[in-house]
Amino acid sequence: MSERNSTAAYEVLQERFERLSALYGAQAVLHWDRATMMPEGGAGARAEQQAVISLIAHETLTAPEVAELLAAAHEADGLDEWSRANLAEMARVHAHATATPSSLVTRLSRQKSHTEMVWRKARAANDYASLAPELDKLIALVREQAAAKADAFGLSHYDALLDGYDPGRRSADIDVLFAGLESFLPGLLQEVMEHQAAGPERLPIEGPFPVAQQEKLGREVMDLIGFDFAHGRLDVSLHPFSGGVPDDSRITTRYDEADFTESLMAVIHETGHSLYERGLPAEWRSQPVGRSRGMTVHESQSLLFEMQAARTEGFIRFLAPRLKAAFGGEGPAWAPENILRHYRKVAPGFIRVQADEVSYPLHVMLRYRLERAMIAGELTAAGLPAAWNEGMESLLGIRPADDAAGCMQDIHWPSGSFGYFPTYTLGALAAAQLFEAAKRDHDGLEAALAEGDFQPLLGFVRTHVHGKGASRTPDEIVSEATGRPLGTAAFKAHIEARYLNN
């Protein structure tokens, strides 16, 4: 085929993927609306809308001519580096899509929507029995998809799902990293708890903390970090998340009038996700290479801002008088030192999203083990609560009193997201390395955070992470930005320095 025809084939593919990008964006906004604004009675209609969009996107991506266009475009010699990377991503996305039959795409979409809505009611009522049958149906469909992808890619069923969330990642890689964490984390957790118990008393900060004031404060911090309200908004949902599209970012949190700390850090976490999306290369946003590079990198960005930066002593000291003013606080409980002790409290708890950064990886390890067992057919929905409770006791030494605080707490499995969970801890490892590298790159970074200035940190990740889009693998992005492969050393050093050496 001539160079001209090969280049033309690539241009046709670009047009097709631009249309797909618009479909994915519409799907993302519909999902946001379902989680925040949609009346309960709209669930059936919304499930059908999303199923149809999923099918249209799948058919657009898997049409017979796409494979022909990809083959032709690969003969083109005149493509620049970004275009070649884009073509490789087109091929990867196409391979994932063609591995899943259209009929399964529709069934999965409908069941995901239905199971998620059942979960919302079941969790509120602590009624796992009503969720279990629907979760079993969804697991069966996810296993069907995993089998189809495994056959297509020559991978294990779980690795085939994992690749969709973290391209190129394999469970064997995770096993090595998690084994490394487990070799020191339980002992380190105990050491940190003993160190804190021997330290100054953590004084209670009395509420109530009105939601309106929490929201106002959250917006002020978002603006400080760099959130663009001309291209985004903050809302409330049962489970905090970041969605929408780069030019229309939708993030959510949830509020507790007895405790402002959770919602504020959730806002910072989701702002980190949003900043990543907004920082992707604008000229490539409608193409696969211009998308985010999987969930390990995504979670590294949220945790970089929430855990690494926003819990530095300097930033908490900057934040403390603003907290005091926002809620009319008086007395020693509102001293920066005491607020810092609240934000750095380490103790095993039942709820993952409220967990401290020392115990958090243990929550993820539990979910990783359980979802692998579910995908392997070794664990059913009926057996999940008991397996969950036993795992919590084994890893964290605690046992939840009910399923709402146990296996029903997360939205991921009811929404069909199997293979996502390990990326939270992989992201934490990457965040520690990136923060370490950013401080090397900018000597005054922590001093800037103490002034409420996030620009040096944001500038570092704009250059080394956001601007790369999907032109590199997740591990290439981390190693190029930090000078070493993803590992546990920076995370261990960070935990020891923050929680033991003070």
Side-chain angles (χ1 to χ4, degrees):
M1 179 173 288
S2 71
E3 173 66 23
R4 181 177 178 181
N5 287 341
S6 296
T7 302
Y10 174 73
E11 291 170 352
V12 171
L13 285 168
Q14 280 188 303
E15 292 173 3
R16 183 173 290 256
F17 277 89
E18 189 169 349
R19 294 197 300 274
L20 276 166
S21 179
L23 287 170
Y24 295 147
Q27 186 79 290
V29 175
L30 284 173
H31 172 78
W32 165 85
D33 179 76
R34 187 178 75 196
T36 57
M37 303 287 187
M38 186 189 76
E40 184 179 324
R46 180 57 48 83
E48 191 59 28
Q49 291 162 0
Q50 292 191 278
V52 169
I53 290 176
S54 294
L55 180 60
I56 292 171
H58 187 264
E59 290 176 344
T60 302
L61 186 52
T62 61
E65 62 269 24
V66 176
E68 297 169 6
L69 289 165
L70 284 168
H74 273 102
E75 299 298 318
D77 294 326
L79 302 181
D80 62 20
E81 181 183 0
W82 274 90
S83 296
R84 289 196 303 274
N86 191 36
L87 183 58
E89 270 302 287
M90 288 174 173
R92 192 187 73 80
V93 172
H94 177 258
H96 268 275
T98 54
T100 309
S102 296
S103 61
L104 178 56
V105 170
T106 305
R107 286 183 288 137
L108 255 175
S109 180
R110 287 178 179 144
Q111 188 63 44
K112 285 177 182 179
S113 295
H114 178 66
T115 307
E116 183 181 324
M117 296 309 294
V118 171
W119 167 79
R120 292 177 188 278
K121 289 184 177 180
R123 183 174 182 264
N126 189 29
D127 178 19
Y128 183 76
S130 67
L131 174 63
E134 298 306 320
L135 186 58
D136 261 332
K137 292 175 188 175
L138 180 56
I139 292 169
L141 291 173
V142 172
R143 291 184 67 213
E144 188 178 338
Q145 182 185 43
K149 288 189 173 187
D151 287 344
F153 302 146
L155 298 173
S156 71
H157 289 193
Y158 186 78
D159 281 355
L161 296 175
L162 179 63
D163 193 79
Y165 292 100
D166 203 24
R169 185 77 57 201
R170 302 292 177 257
S171 52
D173 306 329
I174 297 171
D175 291 343
V176 170
L177 291 168
F178 280 13
L181 283 171
E182 200 166 0
S183 71
F184 67 79
L185 202 53
L188 188 54
L189 172 61
Q190 189 62 37
E191 190 178 356
V192 169
M193 290 170 61
E194 291 170 0
H195 180 75
Q196 291 190 344
E201 180 185 5
R202 186 177 60 255
L203 303 176
I205 304 175
E206 302 292 344
F209 308 103
V211 167
Q213 288 302 109
Q214 290 192 55
E215 182 182 353
K216 181 174 182 290
L217 179 66
R219 291 178 181 277
E220 289 172 0
V221 173
M222 289 167 67
D223 187 60
L224 201 68
I225 295 172
F227 187 85
D228 182 358
F229 282 99
H231 289 277
R233 54 181 290 140
L234 171 67
D235 292 280
V236 177
S237 68
L238 184 60
H239 190 99
F241 71 93
S242 176
V245 296
D247 286 321
D248 183 8
S249 179
R250 310 295 179 93
I251 75 170
T252 71
T253 190
R254 59 188 178 195
Y255 298 103
D256 179 353
E257 291 206 335
D259 181 7
F260 65 83
T261 60
E262 180 190 347
S263 71
L264 182 58
M265 284 298 167
V267 163
I268 295 172
H269 181 101
E270 301 306 335
T271 298
H273 281 303
S274 176
L275 291 174
Y276 181 21
E277 292 288 328
R278 283 290 294 155
L280 293 169
E283 66 273 26
W284 290 100
R285 278 184 189 158
S286 66
Q287 297 297 312
V289 77
R291 296 179 197 154
S292 60
R293 179 72 291 180
M295 294 314 301
T296 287
V297 178
H298 233 307
E299 295 302 340
S300 79
Q301 298 309 286
S302 57
L303 293 170
L304 178 66
F305 283 88
E306 178 207 355
M307 288 294 186
Q308 296 289 328
R311 294 177 201 257
T312 56
E313 182 175 351
F315 181 69
I316 294 298
R317 288 188 176 278
F318 170 85
L319 187 63
R322 288 154 180 82
L323 294 172
K324 185 177 179 180
F327 300 115
E330 295 291 343
W334 291 90
E337 295 81 5
N338 192 58
I339 291 173
L340 183 65
R341 285 193 283 274
H342 276 270
Y343 273 116
R344 290 188 177 178
K345 175 188 175 184
V346 173
F350 297 116
I351 306 301
R352 175 186 61 84
V353 296
Q354 297 172 354
D356 59 85
E357 61 181 331
V358 185
S359 63
Y360 189 101
L362 300 173
H363 287 261
V364 173
M365 288 177 193
L366 171 62
R367 287 152 176 79
Y368 173 60
R369 293 172 184 175
L370 294 176
E371 70 178 13
R372 287 184 73 179
M374 285 187 275
I375 296 305
E378 299 165 357
L379 179 64
T380 64
L384 180 59
W388 179 286
N389 294 345
E390 289 167 10
M392 284 291 286
E393 191 156 31
S394 173
L395 286 168
L396 287 154
I398 56 176
R399 180 178 284 261
D402 56 46
D403 295 328
C407 64
M408 280 200 296
Q409 66 182 262
D410 293 310
I411 196 173
H412 302 65
W413 293 335
S415 65
S417 298
F418 289 81
Y420 187 135
F421 271 121
T423 66
Y424 284 113
T425 288
L426 299 176
L429 301 181
Q433 285 186 214
L434 288 166
F435 196 58
E436 181 183 73
K439 288 187 291 184
R440 286 198 308 267
D441 186 73
H442 194 290
D443 288 339
L445 189 142
E446 289 200 79
L449 291 173
E451 297 294 326
D453 181 6
F454 283 80
Q455 288 309 303
L457 180 59
L458 183 57
F460 178 84
V461 290
R462 283 278 194 253
T463 299
H464 296 284
V465 180
H466 304 178
K468 304 294 185 182
S471 67
R472 307 282 197 279
T473 69
D475 281 354
E476 284 172 346
I477 289 175
V478 172
S479 62
E480 289 176 13
T482 68
R484 56 176 163 169
L486 183 65
T488 62
F491 181 76
K492 184 173 186 285
H494 159 70
I495 295 299
E496 290 173 339
R498 175 170 286 183
Y499 294 98
L500 295 177
N501 300 336
N502 57 57

